[in-house]
Amino acid sequence: MSSPRSRQPLLTEGPIARTLLFFALPILGSTVLQSLNASVNAMWIGHYLGEAALTAGSNSSLIIFLLLSMVFGVSMASTILVGQSLGARNINEAKRVVGTGTGFFVALSILVSVAGYLGTESILRLLGTPADALPFAIAYLHVIFIAMPPMYFLNFLMMTLRGAGDSKTPLIFMGLAVVLDIVLNPLLIFGVGPLPKMGIAGSATATLIAQIIALAALITTLYRRKHFLRLTGAELSYLKPDPALLRALVFKGLPMGLQMIVISSSAILMMRLVNAYGSHTVAAYGAASQLWTYVQMPAMAIGAAVSSMSAQNVGARLWDRVSRIARAGLLYNFLLGGTLIGIIYLFNRAALGLFLPNDGEAIRLAMHLNIIAMWSFLFFGATFVLFGVVRSTGAVWPPLVMLLISMWLIRPPFALLLQSRLGADSIWWSFPLGSLVAMLLAMSYYRWGGWRRAHMLEPTAAEQAPSTGQGAPASSVMQAID
């Protein structure tokens, strides 16, 4: 069996800064494509199906985000395990991770799909979905729940490939899914030609078809290329989840998934605080948030790239390279993020004018809050870069605790306590304060914490991992390196 080196360049070799940049850019491209897809779909629904349908889409998006957050952490844990195995030149262990992850995701996605489909109306009523939007939301989510299995599995495969050092292939197939989704949306919403007119269910059906085609195309491509992580012959037995690997995927993945929920729940709470200041302030905050979404993308991409790259070097026990990866990630965060923030500040009114009337009160408020808060996303980016490094060893609980402190124990109390003196500015200043605290905590843990001693698998499980000769056991490789 060929080694990973013959199939794909390892992230344990070559110049760190250039390798990290070229690995992170396709991840950034995938993130931009996902946001573009969501925006275009919302445009079709909002402009042509009405406010009730758009409300239904917003409620559905919240449910979808929470469901995807459940599996994001497990996918991220798989990325780290695959990266560590390949860094240790243990391709067989990487295949075992892929097999266990595949078996787990197939079972989980079917369970979520069936339970969600049967409980759609109850979930929406629990959320308090407005009565006029309820029929739209039910029709939309019924199809989305059918789409959950291919959606989950496509996400899992893409993140696994990134763990293997390949961020370009996920970008290609993410692009395929997004293009198909965008093209099919109007065709299925309005019923063009022989296609049925499905209304809002047509938008969800476009997502379903796009995900199935992209998933099938990706799997076909991997097998045609004879990708080194594909399962063949006796290796198909790896699809039966290995208990030790499954525990690592679930218990290490859970806190990473909870990080997404902490971020989203904090955003919901801040939105409630903003609502108290009226429609102009809400509109200003909404427009600024649209820009903040794009400002955060480089940091998220670099954080994901740093995590995959560090995982391979942790597996190879190349700790000096891990430290240099962290420094390069921080540099790119400040360089790329700072450039983007600088451009937006330079064209602050014009950028906000994409979402707001150019002569209204809301755009003045939005420019003001941007000046206060937007620069602090450089702190946010530095935090995510450092989180990406420390979690590559399996240290996943401390980042969750640090996010809880900064986003729940610092940001909302500050905004509430100073509300009487600063008004809405107390909310805007809570963003820099929370981000600064998160960065200082992350820097302290990176410098003095015990993350280098963390591990994804129990040592005994790693040492006893069977090998078929396709890769040396991780323990023996690490001893040879040491």
Side-chain angles (χ1 to χ4, degrees), residues 132-446:
D132 60 340
L134 194 60
F136 291 102
I138 291 173
Y140 185 84
L141 274 179
H142 272 165
V143 180
I144 288 296
F145 278 118
I146 296 173
M148 277 294 165
M151 193 180 296
Y152 271 19
F153 194 42
L154 182 62
N155 178 72
F156 166 73
L157 285 182
M158 288 180 173
M159 295 189 72
T160 298
L161 287 173
R162 289 172 186 160
D166 178 9
S167 60
K168 294 179 182 177
T169 301
L171 173 62
I172 292 170
F173 289 92
M174 174 61 72
L176 173 62
V178 168
V179 169
L180 286 172
D181 201 338
I182 289 175
V183 170
L184 289 172
N185 247 271
L187 301 181
L188 292 172
I189 288 175
F190 305 116
V192 177
L195 298 175
K197 182 178 181 180
M198 301 177 67
I200 195 171
S203 180
T205 304
T207 299
L208 169 63
I209 295 172
Q211 294 288 311
I212 290 174
I213 292 175
L215 175 60
L218 176 57
I219 293 173
T220 301
T221 299
L222 294 178
Y223 274 85
R224 282 184 176 174
R225 291 179 181 175
K226 297 184 178 179
H227 193 278
F228 63 87
L229 286 181
R230 78 193 190 286
L231 302 180
T232 58
E235 295 167 345
L236 293 173
S237 64
Y238 294 165
L239 292 172
K240 180 181 179 181
D242 175 271
L245 290 174
L246 186 58
R247 278 197 301 273
L249 289 176
V250 173
F251 290 109
K252 294 294 185 178
L254 177 64
M256 287 188 278
L258 288 174
Q259 287 181 37
M260 304 294 290
I261 295 175
V262 167
I263 293 172
S264 62
S265 60
S266 175
I268 291 171
L269 176 59
M270 300 308 288
M271 188 73 242
R272 288 179 64 89
L273 295 178
V274 173
N275 283 339
Y277 289 92
S279 59
H280 288 307
T281 303
V282 172
Y285 180 65
S289 297
Q290 290 289 332
L291 295 180
W292 295 354
T293 298
Y294 290 94
V295 165
Q296 294 175 70
M297 285 182 183
M300 301 294 283
I302 295 167
V306 160
S307 189
S308 297
M309 196 167 174
S310 295
Q312 288 200 15
N313 286 274
V314 167
R317 305 302 290 270
L318 300 175
W319 291 106
D320 180 63
R321 279 182 65 88
V322 173
S323 299
R324 288 160 59 199
I325 288 167
R327 290 195 295 269
L330 289 172
L331 177 63
Y332 280 132
N333 166 67
F334 287 112
L335 182 62
L336 297 178
T339 299
L340 184 57
I341 289 172
I343 291 172
I344 293 177
Y345 273 143
L346 189 60
F347 301 100
N348 199 4
R349 176 179 286 273
L352 291 165
L354 296 172
F355 309 100
L356 295 169
N358 200 42
D359 56 352
E361 174 68 10
I363 197 168
R364 186 190 65 78
L365 292 172
M367 291 174 64
H368 172 69
L369 73 92
N370 254 357
I371 291 171
I372 293 175
M374 191 168 61
W375 58 272
S376 68
F377 285 101
L378 290 175
F379 297 159
F380 168 88
T383 301
F384 264 74
V385 169
L386 295 174
F387 282 177
V389 175
V390 302
R391 74 186 179 198
S392 68
T393 64
V396 293
W397 285 103
L400 174 62
V401 173
M402 287 183 267
L403 273 182
L404 274 171
I405 292 172
S406 63
M407 292 199 157
W408 277 96
L409 301 184
I410 298 295
R411 188 185 288 177
F414 177 87
L416 287 169
L417 287 173
L418 295 183
Q419 212 168 24
S420 59
R421 293 180 59 186
L422 300 178
D425 279 2
S426 66
I427 302 174
W428 316 144
W429 279 110
S430 74
F431 283 94
L433 178 61
S435 297
L436 177 62
V437 168
M439 184 181 71
L440 292 176
L441 290 172
M443 291 173 65
S444 299
Y445 183 67
Y446 176 81

